[in-house]
Amino acid sequence: MNNIQQRIADLRELMRREHLSAFIFPSTDPHNGEYVPDHWKGREWISGFDGSAGTAVVTLDKAALWTDSRYFIAATEQLAGTDFVLMKERIAGTPTIAEWLGEVLRNERNPEVGIDGMVCATSEAEQLIADLRANGGITLRTNLDPLRQIWTDRPPVPENPVGIQPIELAGESCHEKIARIRKALRQQHADGMLVTALDDIAWTLNLRGSDVHCNPVFVSYLLISSAKVTLYINKVKLSAAVKAYLADEGIDIDDYENVQKGLKDYFEYNILLDPNEVNYTLFKTVSRDIIRGQSPVKMMKAVKNEAEIRGFRKAMTRDGVAMVRFLRWLEAADVSSLTELTASQKLEALRREQPLFKDISFDTISAYQEHGAIVHYEPTPATDIPLKAEGLLLLDSGAQYQDGTTDITRTIALGPLTDLQRRVYTLVLKGHLQLQNLKFPANASGTQLDAVARSAMWREGMNYLHGTGHGVGAYLNVHEGPHQIRMEYKPAPLKAGMTVTDEPGVYLEGRFGVRIENTLLIQPYRQTEFGEFLQFEPLTLCPIDTRPIVRDMLTTDEVQWLNDYHQLVYDRLSPHLNDEEKAWLREATKPF
């Protein structure tokens, strides 16, 4: 019996003792994070699937895992040899979790399904309760974490030290931010709120940590009332200097485990809780009047101030220098001596040479040929393949600098390409340029812009199922909301000062994938009688490979946009390069 099958067997034994018919393992932690500390990677532990999104469900005799199109190929490989069956989300014919459980448990009397209420957002738990009730009268139990008993070598909750983000980089003090938050709460007629999202807490307090891989955040809660603010955190993480800083900012400190007691003792008349962020267990702890609403912190954090924008520009310049040095090295190298992993390691090493580098911002996607069709492929010693002097290398990477976070994708021609590869590459580039150069009304949502990046490929009968763009944090999480650019409806308005990526792609399973990505800054465009209009400024500074382009597929405007961007890249990066690097960049950015 392999490890996964043994874990499933141990879980089923516990389920029988607890009289549970099934147990659900989401991908989140008590803070509803996209990326979570190892301690809460229960879905990965029970299933073996290590993608960032997915839900595992185990019954007494069956198991299934739901995930999205980014991970269909990877999940199929990782679930092989286990009880788990892959359920492809948003594909016709795929049942929901509640529908599947309703069918599987239809012959059981009074079935009860479990989920740990600490790792399930309130809105999701409430929807699940309703859906299970509608699919056979199934009851949901939320007060059990089976991993406490069966995961015997479970990693501890991280205890990494917390550091202060300097005011010259943050641009606004902690007490100023809290004053703005309280003002926003009053507008919602709320006396206080519980902040659970780790990046929101880090931004509010101007603190950073390293509890989550690639994300400079720390495990904690923040309870804000009209009179006091309390940070719930393992105090071993706080140095004397950080404790003194928090005291100066008027922040009380309490133990992380005491957050439920803090909510029970909360003295105000009401409290704002975001059901999409606060977990179900904490939500049900509150006895005061609850105002259900969106946390105001997300939108505040998304609109960058002048200091944060300056930091982004400086970070993007240093990151661009590292990228140019990498691309020059790759072009000069004997490609056949390299692998996906060695290329990824070289790029990381070049970034580490840059001032203020802290970490990579996510695990690098270094995907050659058929691996490029796996949207979130990450090379490992087990999957690593050699490069060849032909085809395409898709490289999606980024870094955490103390003054900004970067996220960039380049698809690179390593040698001769097929006509199909060149055509797909050009379609993706057209989509990227069309979005980058769009002018649009202030407060439009990303959903209203999304089709612009897809229209050229749609005409060819091609599409991609991931989003076109996401916000990027200021030395915070590389994925930042509330705004997104994607086909699914996301109502968050786009505002000047927001960062967002532009990353259309096309993926042909078993053959290759293409994605081109820059991080953009939303800027004012013009004011007319119809209101304020906005535009995008590219923050990312790196040449786009012109060798795969089918020239006849680009319009005159698109060629001019590309040339203008390359001139910007050269002007910004060349002062930071030596003569040989400058000559290479001049050639890479010459007018197309």
Side-chain angles (χ1 to χ4, degrees):
M1 183 181 293
N2 63 35
N3 287 341
I4 300 302
Q5 291 300 97
Q6 183 60 59
R7 293 167 187 173
I8 293 172
D10 293 342
L11 172 64
R12 285 171 172 159
E13 182 180 339
L14 185 147
M15 287 163 54
R16 291 186 185 97
R17 293 198 305 269
E18 296 288 340
H19 305 291
L20 287 172
S21 301
F23 204 90
I24 300 172
F25 296 90
S27 298
T28 53
D29 59 12
H31 307 274
N32 203 35
E34 178 184 4
Y35 300 102
V36 305
D38 290 345
H39 178 81
W40 285 292
K41 290 183 178 179
R43 185 264 299 152
E44 178 179 336
W45 183 83
I46 197 67
S47 69
F49 168 63
D50 63 4
S52 66
T55 304
V57 184
V58 180
T59 72
L60 294 174
D61 59 359
K62 298 181 185 300
L65 182 132
W66 281 256
T67 192
D68 62 47
S69 62
R70 295 172 296 170
Y71 298 112
F72 289 166
I73 300 173
T76 298
E77 296 174 354
Q78 294 176 4
L79 299 178
T82 74
D83 281 2
F84 282 98
V85 175
L86 175 61
M87 296 291 181
K88 298 181 177 181
E89 291 179 344
R90 297 198 293 273
I91 298 298
T94 299
T96 65
I97 291 172
E99 290 169 344
W100 184 78
L101 285 171
E103 177 63 24
V104 170
L105 306 179
R106 68 184 185 279
N107 295 324
E108 292 196 24
R109 183 179 180 183
N110 300 322
E112 187 173 45
V113 172
I115 190 170
D116 179 7
M118 284 294 291
V119 297
C120 185
T122 298
S123 58
E124 293 176 5
E126 291 173 340
Q127 186 63 56
L128 187 57
I129 289 169
D131 291 346
L132 289 173
R133 186 180 298 122
N135 284 272
I138 301 170
T139 301
L140 185 68
R141 177 180 170 187
T142 62
N143 64 348
L144 175 68
D145 176 10
L147 299 176
R148 289 179 179 270
Q149 300 178 51
I150 63 175
W151 193 354
T152 55
D153 59 347
R154 187 176 188 177
V157 177
E159 297 181 346
N160 300 321
V162 171
I164 301 168
Q165 180 74 339
I167 188 65
E168 59 267 24
L169 299 179
E172 185 180 16
S173 69
C174 168
H175 64 267
E176 288 172 326
K177 290 178 178 179
I178 289 173
R180 278 209 290 146
I181 293 169
R182 283 179 169 143
K183 181 178 180 181
L185 290 173
R186 287 194 297 272
Q187 291 172 350
Q188 298 189 53
H189 307 289
D191 298 325
M193 71 174 293
L194 178 68
V195 187
T196 63
L198 300 186
D199 57 332
D200 288 359
I201 297 170
W203 176 86
T204 300
L205 300 180
N206 289 340
L207 297 176
R208 299 294 188 268
S210 58
D211 283 352
V212 179
H213 179 55
C214 296
N215 295 281
V217 297
F218 48 94
V219 174
S220 58
Y221 296 99
L222 190 68
L223 183 58
I224 300 174
S225 70
S226 62
K228 62 186 294 189
V229 181
T230 304
L231 175 66
Y232 293 90
I233 189 171
N234 186 335
K235 295 174 185 174
V236 71
K237 302 153 76 76
L238 305 178
S239 66
V242 173
K243 288 179 180 177
Y245 161 79
L246 289 171
D248 288 344
E249 294 289 343
I251 311 297
D252 294 338
I253 304 169
D254 202 346
D255 292 329
Y256 179 71
E257 293 78 11
N258 286 345
V259 65
Q260 281 185 275
K261 181 179 184 300
L263 288 172
K264 289 177 180 178
D265 295 342
Y266 178 80
F267 59 89
E268 303 273 17
Y269 176 75
N270 62 32
I271 185 170
L272 184 143
L273 298 179
D274 189 336
N276 294 317
E277 293 187 7
V278 178
N279 67 61
Y280 188 67
T281 297
L282 293 184
F283 200 93
K284 300 302 285 186
T285 298
V286 176
S287 59
R288 300 290 179 174
D289 284 353
I290 295 175
I291 296 177
R292 289 172 171 257
Q294 188 176 68
S295 164
V297 180
K298 286 256 182 292
M299 186 60 72
M300 293 179 184
K301 175 167 54 55
V303 178
K304 307 301 186 284
N305 61 44
E306 291 183 5
E308 291 170 325
I309 292 172
R310 279 197 305 272
F312 264 110
R313 296 193 196 285
K314 292 178 180 179
M316 293 290 178
T317 299
R318 294 194 300 277
D319 205 60
V321 167
M323 284 295 302
V324 164
R325 288 173 177 163
F326 170 81
L327 292 172
R328 178 172 175 264
W329 167 83
L330 182 65
E331 188 175 288
D334 175 7
V335 173
S336 61
S337 68
L338 305 177
T339 71
E340 295 169 324
L341 207 50
T342 57
S344 171
Q345 291 165 344
K346 176 64 174 181
L347 177 54
E348 182 175 337
L350 289 169
R351 280 190 164 115
R352 287 186 179 278
E353 295 174 357
Q354 295 299 316
L356 299 185
F357 176 90
K358 295 295 183 179
D359 198 357
I360 54 175
S361 56
F362 56 95
D363 289 319
T364 298
I365 298 170
S366 177
Y368 179 60
Q369 289 289 74
E370 65 271 17
H371 282 168
I374 306 173
V375 178
H376 274 204
Y377 169 81
E378 298 161 10
T380 67
T383 65
D384 190 27
I385 59 174
L387 306 183
K388 298 178 182 179
E390 62 182 31
L392 296 169
L393 173 66
L394 190 159
L395 197 66
D396 187 348
S397 65
Q400 294 285 6
Y401 301 96
Q402 192 171 7
D403 51 358
T405 301
T406 69
D407 186 1
I408 173 177
T409 307
R410 291 293 183 264
T411 303
I412 306 157
L414 298 183
L417 304 176
T418 67
D419 289 344
L420 178 62
Q421 286 174 323
R422 296 180 68 230
R423 188 166 191 83
V424 167
Y425 183 94
T426 310
L427 287 171
V428 172
L429 176 60
K430 285 174 72 71
H432 175 87
L433 293 173
Q434 288 292 338
L435 180 60
Q436 172 188 286
N437 293 286
L438 184 67
K439 316 303 181 188
F440 56 96
N443 297 315
S445 78
T447 306
Q448 294 168 305
L449 277 55
D450 181 80
V452 171
R454 300 175 189 264
S455 59
M457 60 184 70
W458 280 353
R459 285 194 294 269
E460 302 282 335
M462 299 181 186
N463 196 19
Y464 54 97
L465 298 181
H466 61 72
T468 301
H470 57 81
V472 179
Y475 184 37
L476 276 171
N477 296 0
V478 73
H479 290 168
E480 181 177 274
H483 59 296
Q484 296 182 49
I485 301 175
R486 61 186 312 118
M487 290 175 67
E488 298 84 1
Y489 180 54
K490 295 292 180 181
L494 298 176
K495 297 178 178 292
M498 286 180 165
T499 54
V500 67
T501 61
D502 172 8
E503 49 181 308
V506 170
Y507 313 93
L508 301 179
E509 184 173 349
R511 289 177 281 177
F512 64 92
V514 175
R515 185 163 64 253
I516 298 171
E517 174 189 19
N518 281 351
T519 300
L520 312 176
L521 175 67
I522 301 178
Q523 292 274 40
Y525 172 53
R526 60 184 297 196
Q527 184 78 33
T528 76
E529 60 185 299
F530 299 99
E532 180 186 8
F533 284 76
L534 304 175
Q535 62 185 341
F536 292 118
E537 173 197 342
L539 289 173
T540 301
L541 300 171
C542 178
I544 294 171
D545 196 346
T546 58
R547 292 170 295 182
I549 298 174
V550 180
R551 173 64 181 80
D552 292 344
M553 291 175 62
L554 294 185
T555 66
T556 301
D557 283 345
E558 287 166 347
V559 171
Q560 187 60 54
W561 292 340
L562 180 62
N563 289 340
D564 289 346
Y565 173 69
H566 275 160
Q567 186 63 52
L568 172 71
V569 169
Y570 184 82
D571 291 344
R572 294 275 183 85
L573 296 185
S574 57
H576 307 279
L577 302 172
N578 64 35
D579 289 343
E580 291 80 10
E581 293 163 346
K582 197 178 299 185
W584 181 92
L585 182 60
R586 171 66 76 186
E587 178 66 19
T589 57
K590 68 182 180 183
F592 179 67

